[in-house]
Amino acid sequence: MKNIQIEKLSNAYTIRRLADADVPMLYAWMLRNDQYFRYCGGGTTPEHVRQDLTLCPPGTAPAQKHYVGFLDEDRLVAVMDLIDGYPDADTAFIGFFMVNKDLQGQGTGTAIVRDVLAALRALGYTAVRLGIDKENLQSNHFWRKNGFAVLREAAQERGIVLLAERRLA
């Protein structure tokens, strides 16, 4: 673990940890992005959102999880689930990333990812990993455009996920 300071993940946005009190707002916000949920099991519920706030990969501690919102004043621009030091001490893992539907296709997500990767590189991370739903062409294009290369495919109950990585060194 390299002790990620979430406020340093972006030069353009205020970043804050999202909590149970944010679930109703997050749920309504996420429902607007129907394309994402077509590829990951068909939808979400407030309880799913609440669980995602604390769900950690195997072998990680709650202190490693940073479920954060990127805000422009009071407007939620993006949400990211970032795991510090997973699957190893020199790698960070993005478990979830979603940009406000009104801002998609305008470079907002790419700018946020660029800032996050720069902050992680400054902390000494050598790589960032994530999973991409194989059938989600928009997500595939976005992550490949941002320098992530597919390492392998993994079959899961909801379909094929591509494990992808971007080297930071």
Side-chain angles (χ1 to χ4, degrees):
M1 226 168 70
K2 300 193 185 301
N3 202 13
I4 294 171
Q5 295 173 315
I6 62 169
E7 65 277 359
K8 294 185 178 181
L9 293 176
S10 176
N11 297 320
Y13 301 104
T14 301
I15 301 172
R16 73 171 176 86
R17 191 171 303 278
L18 299 171
D20 278 348
D22 297 307
V23 168
M25 177 268 305
L26 281 169
Y27 175 66
W29 187 82
M30 288 177 179
L31 283 180
R32 295 188 61 229
N33 194 337
D34 59 333
Q35 179 188 6
Y36 172 81
F37 293 106
R38 271 197 306 262
Y39 295 102
C40 69
T44 191
T45 66
E47 187 54 35
H48 287 136
V49 174
R50 187 170 283 105
Q51 290 171 354
D52 284 347
L53 292 174
T54 58
L55 184 66
C56 293
T60 60
Q64 290 174 257
K65 183 177 181 80
H66 306 281
Y67 201 97
V68 299
F70 293 75
L71 295 104
D72 183 7
E73 296 183 17
D74 290 334
R75 182 181 189 194
L76 185 60
V77 173
V79 172
M80 180 179 282
D81 179 12
L82 183 63
I83 309 297
D84 188 352
Y86 179 80
D88 59 57
D90 293 322
T91 305
F93 191 88
I94 297 173
F96 177 80
F97 180 64
M98 183 182 287
V99 174
N100 185 316
K101 186 168 177 97
D102 296 337
L103 300 172
Q104 291 177 4
Q106 300 176 30
T108 303
T110 294
I112 290 171
V113 168
R114 182 183 57 240
D115 283 353
V116 168
L117 297 178
L120 294 172
R121 183 181 309 111
L123 284 171
Y125 281 99
T126 59
V128 175
R129 286 192 181 174
L130 50 84
I132 306 168
D133 292 306
K134 184 177 182 177
E135 301 300 319
N136 187 334
L137 299 179
Q138 180 184 6
S139 182
N140 264 282
H141 173 75
F142 175 81
W143 290 113
R144 290 172 194 258
K145 174 183 79 168
N146 282 284
F148 285 79
V150 173
L151 300 174
R152 68 178 178 273
E153 293 185 3
Q156 296 187 341
E157 63 182 68
R158 62 179 167 85
I160 304 292
V161 173
L162 306 174
L163 178 64
E165 178 178 88
R166 171 142 174 209
R167 302 297 300 170
L168 300 179

